[in-house]
Amino acid sequence: MKLIVTLFAALALAASAHGDALAAPSSDTQARSAQAKAAKAKAAAKAKSSKARRTAAKAAPVAAAGVAVTSVVDTDNEHVNFLEWQPVRDFIDGMVAQHGFERTALETLFGQVRYIDTAVQLVKPAPPGKPKNWQAYSARFIEPIRIRAGVRFWEANAEALKRAEAAYGVPAEIIVGIIGIETIYGRDTGRFRVLDSLTTLAFAYPAAPNQAARQAFFRDELASTLVLARERGYDPFSLLGSFAGAVGLPQFMPSNILKYGVDFDNDGRVDLRGSSVDAIGSVANFLIQHGWNAEHRGPAAYAADVSPTRAWEPLLELGLEATLRPEALRAAGVVTGTPLPAENLYGLIDLQNGAEPTEYWVANDNFYAITKYNRSYFYAMSVVDLGRAVRSARPE
């Protein structure tokens, strides 16, 4: 079935954390790096299906949005009658009872939803046994193309970045780092219909120890997508994003658009795909709502040395929060080259390098706020490093 998809920039595209953004707990950045691994599995899954994949849904430009989109790729999908699935019908019942949706309208909607096998393949965990390698991970993101794009983005949005820093206390380089890691400043915001991806993952999440929790998460995001579409008055099929349902330059999940999206350009709508200014304000708002401390003027993380006694090892298991005083770190054999401000709390993080020595860092609240965008030390440190690299590369 060939669908004509209308793209509304007002909400446009969108993992951490990530965001998980919350951004989504499953990170789009991590997912993109997993695509190569998933390719073979994806090909095998295609072979099992007797149905041909349909591609290339056309997108009609929307004058009101002010963005002309010539085409949208809608790939690796197949029609599944989700209405035959009892959990889907139960979900519809819930949307009718809790949010006042019309049952017939939802039934018509889910009758057009497609199953996205790519999404199922990409959420599967990586094969065990491969050691983590911070240097290899970092090299994929702290590289010339992304840095040059970051300089152009910063120059084009200098006023908005300065305003966000004043309003929220989040440095421009951190905002630039996140948007660069997530989408290369809007170059790769995703090509999947969010309704298809979220429905697939909400009701066909692959077997895993956390399957129930992940399905619940994606069902909540599916509900948020429908509420969002109704509130903003657009076709829910028009929302395009990552395979995990993340939208726009900052890759916000739909629930985070509702909670943290900011109309930072004051045009009366939150547009995370078409407005870099809205994306900048929304990233800053997300971070401040997740523990960013504007009082911290120094770095988010300090390089550290650890003692051979290994008394510091239990400190690595304290979760994604800053809970330790500098004296507690010193007592455990953790020493930083730069003195730590005594009034702040910290945590110890490890960046494993495969067969090479692990790097150790002491992080403050602001580093951990970035991990709420994507629950990964690698991700948060890449944000810090990319932002610093872009700042250094800017013309004087």
Side-chain angles (χ1 to χ4, degrees), residues 64-86:
V67 175
V69 179
T70 57
S71 65
V72 180
V73 180
D74 183 14
T75 62
D76 303 309
N77 57 43
E78 65 179 273
H79 181 70
V80 169
N81 189 354
F82 280 107
L83 291 174
E84 294 180 348
W85 298 16
Q86 188 58 47

PDB file of all heavy atoms in Angstrom, residues 64-86:
ATOM      1  N   ALA A  64       2.303  25.816   5.230  1.00  0.00           N
ATOM      2  CA  ALA A  64       2.262  26.374   6.574  1.00  0.00           C
ATOM      3  C   ALA A  64       3.538  26.109   7.338  1.00  0.00           C
ATOM      4  O   ALA A  64       3.941  26.876   8.205  1.00  0.00           O
ATOM      5  CB  ALA A  64       1.069  25.816   7.343  1.00  0.00           C
ATOM      6  N   ALA A  65       4.165  24.986   7.046  1.00  0.00           N
ATOM      7  CA  ALA A  65       5.385  24.638   7.763  1.00  0.00           C
ATOM      8  C   ALA A  65       6.577  25.420   7.251  1.00  0.00           C
ATOM      9  O   ALA A  65       7.579  25.566   7.938  1.00  0.00           O
ATOM     10  CB  ALA A  65       5.671  23.148   7.639  1.00  0.00           C
ATOM     11  N   GLY A  66       6.495  25.883   6.027  1.00  0.00           N
ATOM     12  CA  GLY A  66       7.597  26.647   5.470  1.00  0.00           C
ATOM     13  C   GLY A  66       8.773  25.796   5.061  1.00  0.00           C
ATOM     14  O   GLY A  66       9.856  26.296   4.838  1.00  0.00           O
ATOM     15  N   VAL A  67       8.573  24.473   4.954  1.00  0.00           N
ATOM     16  CA  VAL A  67       9.663  23.579   4.581  1.00  0.00           C
ATOM     17  C   VAL A  67       9.182  22.697   3.441  1.00  0.00           C
ATOM     18  O   VAL A  67       8.182  22.002   3.564  1.00  0.00           O
ATOM     19  CB  VAL A  67      10.084  22.697   5.772  1.00  0.00           C
ATOM     20  CG1 VAL A  67      11.134  21.704   5.320  1.00  0.00           C
ATOM     21  CG2 VAL A  67      10.625  23.555   6.910  1.00  0.00           C
ATOM     22  N   ALA A  68       9.868  22.721   2.338  1.00  0.00           N
ATOM     23  CA  ALA A  68       9.508  21.888   1.201  1.00  0.00           C
ATOM     24  C   ALA A  68      10.355  20.631   1.221  1.00  0.00           C
ATOM     25  O   ALA A  68      11.566  20.695   1.072  1.00  0.00           O
ATOM     26  CB  ALA A  68       9.726  22.649  -0.103  1.00  0.00           C
ATOM     27  N   VAL A  69       9.725  19.483   1.396  1.00  0.00           N
ATOM     28  CA  VAL A  69      10.433  18.213   1.431  1.00  0.00           C
ATOM     29  C   VAL A  69      10.069  17.436   0.182  1.00  0.00           C
ATOM     30  O   VAL A  69       8.897  17.188  -0.080  1.00  0.00           O
ATOM     31  CB  VAL A  69      10.041  17.418   2.692  1.00  0.00           C
ATOM     32  CG1 VAL A  69      10.769  16.098   2.713  1.00  0.00           C
ATOM     33  CG2 VAL A  69      10.353  18.226   3.935  1.00  0.00           C
ATOM     34  N   THR A  70      11.060  17.068  -0.598  1.00  0.00           N
ATOM     35  CA  THR A  70      10.776  16.467  -1.890  1.00  0.00           C
ATOM     36  C   THR A  70      10.464  14.988  -1.801  1.00  0.00           C
ATOM     37  O   THR A  70       9.641  14.482  -2.539  1.00  0.00           O
ATOM     38  CB  THR A  70      11.960  16.676  -2.839  1.00  0.00           C
ATOM     39  OG1 THR A  70      13.139  16.128  -2.228  1.00  0.00           O
ATOM     40  CG2 THR A  70      12.185  18.152  -3.089  1.00  0.00           C
ATOM     41  N   SER A  71      11.129  14.268  -0.907  1.00  0.00           N
ATOM     42  CA  SER A  71      10.869  12.835  -0.830  1.00  0.00           C
ATOM     43  C   SER A  71      11.261  12.304   0.526  1.00  0.00           C
ATOM     44  O   SER A  71      12.093  12.866   1.217  1.00  0.00           O
ATOM     45  CB  SER A  71      11.645  12.083  -1.926  1.00  0.00           C
ATOM     46  OG  SER A  71      13.024  12.213  -1.700  1.00  0.00           O
ATOM     47  N   VAL A  72      10.620  11.221   0.886  1.00  0.00           N
ATOM     48  CA  VAL A  72      10.895  10.540   2.141  1.00  0.00           C
ATOM     49  C   VAL A  72      11.063   9.072   1.839  1.00  0.00           C
ATOM     50  O   VAL A  72      10.282   8.495   1.097  1.00  0.00           O
ATOM     51  CB  VAL A  72       9.720  10.730   3.129  1.00  0.00           C
ATOM     52  CG1 VAL A  72      10.024  10.026   4.436  1.00  0.00           C
ATOM     53  CG2 VAL A  72       9.452  12.189   3.360  1.00  0.00           C
ATOM     54  N   VAL A  73      12.087   8.456   2.376  1.00  0.00           N
ATOM     55  CA  VAL A  73      12.306   7.034   2.163  1.00  0.00           C
ATOM     56  C   VAL A  73      11.605   6.259   3.266  1.00  0.00           C
ATOM     57  O   VAL A  73      11.843   6.490   4.438  1.00  0.00           O
ATOM     58  CB  VAL A  73      13.806   6.700   2.162  1.00  0.00           C
ATOM     59  CG1 VAL A  73      14.010   5.210   1.942  1.00  0.00           C
ATOM     60  CG2 VAL A  73      14.504   7.491   1.079  1.00  0.00           C
ATOM     61  N   ASP A  74      10.736   5.371   2.873  1.00  0.00           N
ATOM     62  CA  ASP A  74       9.962   4.568   3.819  1.00  0.00           C
ATOM     63  C   ASP A  74      10.282   3.108   3.509  1.00  0.00           C
ATOM     64  O   ASP A  74       9.626   2.476   2.695  1.00  0.00           O
ATOM     65  CB  ASP A  74       8.476   4.865   3.646  1.00  0.00           C
ATOM     66  CG  ASP A  74       7.621   4.120   4.662  1.00  0.00           C
ATOM     67  OD1 ASP A  74       8.170   3.598   5.646  1.00  0.00           O
ATOM     68  OD2 ASP A  74       6.411   4.047   4.451  1.00  0.00           O
ATOM     69  N   THR A  75      11.344   2.582   4.117  1.00  0.00           N
ATOM     70  CA  THR A  75      11.886   1.308   3.690  1.00  0.00           C
ATOM     71  C   THR A  75      11.677   0.201   4.705  1.00  0.00           C
ATOM     72  O   THR A  75      11.353   0.436   5.860  1.00  0.00           O
ATOM     73  CB  THR A  75      13.398   1.427   3.447  1.00  0.00           C
ATOM     74  OG1 THR A  75      14.025   1.783   4.687  1.00  0.00           O
ATOM     75  CG2 THR A  75      13.706   2.472   2.411  1.00  0.00           C
ATOM     76  N   ASP A  76      11.917  -1.024   4.229  1.00  0.00           N
ATOM     77  CA  ASP A  76      11.969  -2.201   5.088  1.00  0.00           C
ATOM     78  C   ASP A  76      10.709  -2.369   5.923  1.00  0.00           C
ATOM     79  O   ASP A  76      10.768  -2.673   7.107  1.00  0.00           O
ATOM     80  CB  ASP A  76      13.195  -2.130   6.020  1.00  0.00           C
ATOM     81  CG  ASP A  76      14.477  -1.992   5.237  1.00  0.00           C
ATOM     82  OD1 ASP A  76      14.673  -2.794   4.313  1.00  0.00           O
ATOM     83  OD2 ASP A  76      15.249  -1.077   5.520  1.00  0.00           O
ATOM     84  N   ASN A  77       9.572  -2.152   5.286  1.00  0.00           N
ATOM     85  CA  ASN A  77       8.328  -2.310   6.027  1.00  0.00           C
ATOM     86  C   ASN A  77       7.431  -3.307   5.324  1.00  0.00           C
ATOM     87  O   ASN A  77       7.583  -3.597   4.153  1.00  0.00           O
ATOM     88  CB  ASN A  77       7.620  -0.959   6.176  1.00  0.00           C
ATOM     89  CG  ASN A  77       7.346  -0.304   4.836  1.00  0.00           C
ATOM     90  OD1 ASN A  77       6.919  -0.956   3.883  1.00  0.00           O
ATOM     91  ND2 ASN A  77       7.611   0.991   4.738  1.00  0.00           N
ATOM     92  N   GLU A  78       6.501  -3.836   6.063  1.00  0.00           N
ATOM     93  CA  GLU A  78       5.514  -4.709   5.454  1.00  0.00           C
ATOM     94  C   GLU A  78       4.217  -4.556   6.203  1.00  0.00           C
ATOM     95  O   GLU A  78       4.188  -4.143   7.371  1.00  0.00           O
ATOM     96  CB  GLU A  78       5.961  -6.171   5.478  1.00  0.00           C
ATOM     97  CG  GLU A  78       6.098  -6.772   6.863  1.00  0.00           C
ATOM     98  CD  GLU A  78       6.524  -8.224   6.798  1.00  0.00           C
ATOM     99  OE1 GLU A  78       5.623  -9.071   6.682  1.00  0.00           O
ATOM    100  OE2 GLU A  78       7.727  -8.497   6.843  1.00  0.00           O
ATOM    101  N   HIS A  79       3.116  -4.842   5.523  1.00  0.00           N
ATOM    102  CA  HIS A  79       1.820  -4.690   6.161  1.00  0.00           C
ATOM    103  C   HIS A  79       1.572  -5.880   7.086  1.00  0.00           C
ATOM    104  O   HIS A  79       1.695  -7.034   6.704  1.00  0.00           O
ATOM    105  CB  HIS A  79       0.702  -4.599   5.133  1.00  0.00           C
ATOM    106  CG  HIS A  79      -0.638  -4.430   5.766  1.00  0.00           C
ATOM    107  ND1 HIS A  79      -1.013  -3.269   6.406  1.00  0.00           N
ATOM    108  CD2 HIS A  79      -1.678  -5.294   5.897  1.00  0.00           C
ATOM    109  CE1 HIS A  79      -2.232  -3.410   6.886  1.00  0.00           C
ATOM    110  NE2 HIS A  79      -2.656  -4.624   6.591  1.00  0.00           N
ATOM    111  N   VAL A  80       1.250  -5.559   8.324  1.00  0.00           N
ATOM    112  CA  VAL A  80       0.815  -6.549   9.305  1.00  0.00           C
ATOM    113  C   VAL A  80      -0.492  -6.025   9.860  1.00  0.00           C
ATOM    114  O   VAL A  80      -0.601  -4.837  10.191  1.00  0.00           O
ATOM    115  CB  VAL A  80       1.854  -6.709  10.441  1.00  0.00           C
ATOM    116  CG1 VAL A  80       1.277  -7.525  11.582  1.00  0.00           C
ATOM    117  CG2 VAL A  80       3.119  -7.362   9.920  1.00  0.00           C
ATOM    118  N   ASN A  81      -1.480  -6.863   9.977  1.00  0.00           N
ATOM    119  CA  ASN A  81      -2.761  -6.408  10.521  1.00  0.00           C
ATOM    120  C   ASN A  81      -2.665  -6.353  12.039  1.00  0.00           C
ATOM    121  O   ASN A  81      -3.027  -7.293  12.744  1.00  0.00           O
ATOM    122  CB  ASN A  81      -3.895  -7.331  10.081  1.00  0.00           C
ATOM    123  CG  ASN A  81      -5.259  -6.748  10.441  1.00  0.00           C
ATOM    124  OD1 ASN A  81      -5.352  -5.705  11.109  1.00  0.00           O
ATOM    125  ND2 ASN A  81      -6.315  -7.406  10.013  1.00  0.00           N
ATOM    126  N   PHE A  82      -2.135  -5.233  12.544  1.00  0.00           N
ATOM    127  CA  PHE A  82      -1.974  -5.082  13.979  1.00  0.00           C
ATOM    128  C   PHE A  82      -3.313  -5.152  14.716  1.00  0.00           C
ATOM    129  O   PHE A  82      -3.345  -5.446  15.914  1.00  0.00           O
ATOM    130  CB  PHE A  82      -1.271  -3.763  14.294  1.00  0.00           C
ATOM    131  CG  PHE A  82       0.221  -3.813  14.116  1.00  0.00           C
ATOM    132  CD1 PHE A  82       0.827  -3.179  13.035  1.00  0.00           C
ATOM    133  CD2 PHE A  82       1.027  -4.484  15.016  1.00  0.00           C
ATOM    134  CE1 PHE A  82       2.211  -3.208  12.877  1.00  0.00           C
ATOM    135  CE2 PHE A  82       2.406  -4.530  14.863  1.00  0.00           C
ATOM    136  CZ  PHE A  82       2.997  -3.890  13.790  1.00  0.00           C
ATOM    137  N   LEU A  83      -4.397  -4.873  14.023  1.00  0.00           N
ATOM    138  CA  LEU A  83      -5.702  -4.917  14.682  1.00  0.00           C
ATOM    139  C   LEU A  83      -6.098  -6.333  15.095  1.00  0.00           C
ATOM    140  O   LEU A  83      -6.986  -6.511  15.921  1.00  0.00           O
ATOM    141  CB  LEU A  83      -6.770  -4.327  13.761  1.00  0.00           C
ATOM    142  CG  LEU A  83      -6.665  -2.813  13.524  1.00  0.00           C
ATOM    143  CD1 LEU A  83      -7.673  -2.380  12.481  1.00  0.00           C
ATOM    144  CD2 LEU A  83      -6.872  -2.049  14.825  1.00  0.00           C
ATOM    145  N   GLU A  84      -5.427  -7.320  14.532  1.00  0.00           N
ATOM    146  CA  GLU A  84      -5.695  -8.703  14.935  1.00  0.00           C
ATOM    147  C   GLU A  84      -4.976  -9.077  16.226  1.00  0.00           C
ATOM    148  O   GLU A  84      -5.211 -10.143  16.785  1.00  0.00           O
ATOM    149  CB  GLU A  84      -5.282  -9.659  13.816  1.00  0.00           C
ATOM    150  CG  GLU A  84      -6.122  -9.523  12.549  1.00  0.00           C
ATOM    151  CD  GLU A  84      -5.675 -10.482  11.466  1.00  0.00           C
ATOM    152  OE1 GLU A  84      -4.578 -11.089  11.619  1.00  0.00           O
ATOM    153  OE2 GLU A  84      -6.403 -10.628  10.464  1.00  0.00           O
ATOM    154  N   TRP A  85      -4.087  -8.211  16.692  1.00  0.00           N
ATOM    155  CA  TRP A  85      -3.300  -8.491  17.893  1.00  0.00           C
ATOM    156  C   TRP A  85      -4.040  -7.944  19.110  1.00  0.00           C
ATOM    157  O   TRP A  85      -4.316  -6.750  19.200  1.00  0.00           O
ATOM    158  CB  TRP A  85      -1.925  -7.852  17.795  1.00  0.00           C
ATOM    159  CG  TRP A  85      -1.076  -8.348  16.662  1.00  0.00           C
ATOM    160  CD1 TRP A  85      -1.480  -9.055  15.577  1.00  0.00           C
ATOM    161  CD2 TRP A  85       0.320  -8.139  16.503  1.00  0.00           C
ATOM    162  NE1 TRP A  85      -0.423  -9.324  14.743  1.00  0.00           N
ATOM    163  CE2 TRP A  85       0.708  -8.772  15.295  1.00  0.00           C
ATOM    164  CE3 TRP A  85       1.290  -7.491  17.253  1.00  0.00           C
ATOM    165  CZ2 TRP A  85       2.011  -8.766  14.832  1.00  0.00           C
ATOM    166  CZ3 TRP A  85       2.600  -7.481  16.794  1.00  0.00           C
ATOM    167  CH2 TRP A  85       2.953  -8.121  15.597  1.00  0.00           C
ATOM    168  N   GLN A  86      -4.334  -8.806  20.061  1.00  0.00           N
ATOM    169  CA  GLN A  86      -5.096  -8.372  21.230  1.00  0.00           C
ATOM    170  C   GLN A  86      -4.403  -7.259  22.016  1.00  0.00           C
ATOM    171  O   GLN A  86      -5.074  -6.322  22.461  1.00  0.00           O
ATOM    172  CB  GLN A  86      -5.375  -9.566  22.154  1.00  0.00           C
ATOM    173  CG  GLN A  86      -6.326  -9.240  23.317  1.00  0.00           C
ATOM    174  CD  GLN A  86      -7.664  -8.723  22.824  1.00  0.00           C
ATOM    175  OE1 GLN A  86      -8.270  -9.298  21.924  1.00  0.00           O
ATOM    176  NE2 GLN A  86      -8.124  -7.606  23.402  1.00  0.00           N
TER     177      GLN A  86
END
